Amino acid sequence: MRTLAIATAALASSATAAFAAPASVSVTIGPELQEKAARTLGVREVNDLANDLRTTVEKQLARTAAYDGARIELELTDAQPNRPTFKQLGDTPGLSYESFGLGGARIEGSAIAPDGHVTPLSYKYYESDIRWARRGGTWADAQWTFDRFAHKLGRGDAVASR
């Protein structure tokens, strides 16, 4: 009888989890970053970066019950590449992909719960040690920022700026 009660409770909790809707995630690009993209970084690269942020957060939130049913609205407000982007390489003769520097990103936004409660979200990370920049790709530090932000969000943290 005890086994039946435990099995019923487990089945009920998994059924509840199955009916919970995962958080919906939308990402926009901030006006300053849009201007920076058009001027130096490349619009396609920044759009791909925003898409990467959305998919990273969606995947992490799908693994956990954190923010189930919520609407996550994010704005990518800044991004700094570790290596030259395709547009930068095309615009600057003599610039090499072997060049590297400090990168990172800044994310602002809000989590809107099903009951309407709004939780502000903010996260940024910019590498400060050039020794770590040599091994990564064009957006290594920005992607690291997305991973850390998504991980904290997946734990249910209301992420405050770092």
Side-chain angles (χ1 to χ4, degrees), residues 28-33 75-79 105-108 123 126:
T28 58
I29 300 170
E32 289 121 20
L33 185 55
E75 181 178 291
L76 184 58
T77 56
D78 188 37
R106 185 173 64 231
I107 306 160
E108 302 289 333
Y123 193 78
Y126 294 91

Side-chain angles (χ1 to χ4, degrees), residues 28-47:
T28 58
I29 300 170
E32 289 121 20
L33 185 55
Q34 285 179 358
E35 182 180 319
K36 187 176 175 182
R39 204 172 1 98
T40 59
L41 298 176
V43 174
R44 186 184 73 189
E45 295 241 14
V46 173
N47 287 337

